[in-house]
Amino acid sequence: MYTLDYDALIAQHGSEHWHDERKWLMARLPIAAGHLLDMAREWMRFIVPLSGRTAKVLVCDLDNTLWGGVIGEDGMAGIKVGPEHPGAAFQALQRVLLDQSRKGILLAVCSKNNLDDAMEAIRKASWDAITCETFCGRSN
C-alpha cells in the first residue's frame, strides 16, 4: 500500500493558494491549476518506481569501459583516460557515473581483472573523483 500525504503536500506549497473555488465550481477540480504540476510530481514519485524503471545499482566493467586499454595486457602505462582523445570518452563516462552516484545510485564493478591491479589502476589514475570508495562492490 502506498500513501500520499496530501496534507503535507498542501502545507509544502501553501494552503492559501492550493484550492481555487472557481475551478471547483466549474469543473469540480479540487486543486488550483497552478498546483496541478505539483500534484502530478508527487504522484510520479510513486508511479515511476512501481513501473520498474528505477535503477538502484549500476554495475560496470573496468577495461575498455572505465578506461581505455586492458590492464592485464597493456599495464598501467597503457590505460587511456583524460581530457584528450581517446581518453576523453572514458572520462566523460566516469563523470556520468559520479553523477549517478550523487543521485543515490550505487556503483559496483564486475571485472575479471586481478583485484590488486584493478585497485592500483583506480588509485593511481588522476581522474575526476573516481576512487575505490566510489564503488560499493566487486565481483570476479
Side-chain angles (χ1 to χ4, degrees):
M1 175 168 44
Y2 299 92
T3 305
L4 186 144
D5 189 345
Y6 189 70
D7 291 335
L9 181 63
I10 293 171
Q12 179 182 357
H13 296 284
S15 60
E16 63 277 356
H17 300 291
W18 187 264
H19 181 76
D20 182 343
E21 188 65 23
R22 291 181 318 155
K23 295 286 185 201
W24 175 250
L25 293 172
M26 290 173 36
R28 292 294 188 238
L29 184 64
I31 304 167
H35 290 293
L36 288 173
L37 188 56
D38 299 321
M39 183 66 163
R41 283 189 181 120
E42 189 67 17
W43 276 109
M44 291 305 291
R45 286 187 35 215
F46 295 95
I47 294 170
V48 170
L50 290 171
S51 72
R53 294 179 175 238
T54 302
K56 294 180 182 181
V57 179
L58 192 155
V59 181
C60 68
D61 193 3
L62 299 175
D63 294 332
N64 289 320
T65 302
L66 198 60
W67 54 68
V70 178
I71 290 179
E73 296 171 11
D74 306 324
M76 284 294 295
I79 292 176
K80 294 172 181 56
V81 65
E84 302 300 324
H85 176 76
F90 300 103
Q91 192 173 40
L93 175 65
Q94 291 175 19
R95 286 190 188 112
V96 170
L97 292 174
L98 285 170
D99 186 47
Q100 294 301 309
S101 177
R102 289 182 188 116
K103 291 178 180 177
I105 304 296
L106 299 175
L107 302 181
V109 170
C110 182
S111 176
K112 292 182 181 179
N113 283 328
N114 172 290
L115 176 61
D116 294 333
D117 292 344
M119 298 297 269
E120 178 186 359
I122 293 171
R123 270 191 223 98
K124 287 188 175 180
S126 58
W127 310 326
D128 290 337
I130 293 279
T131 66
C132 295
E133 291 75 30
T134 305
F135 301 98
C136 66
R138 182 199 65 83
S139 172
N140 267 340

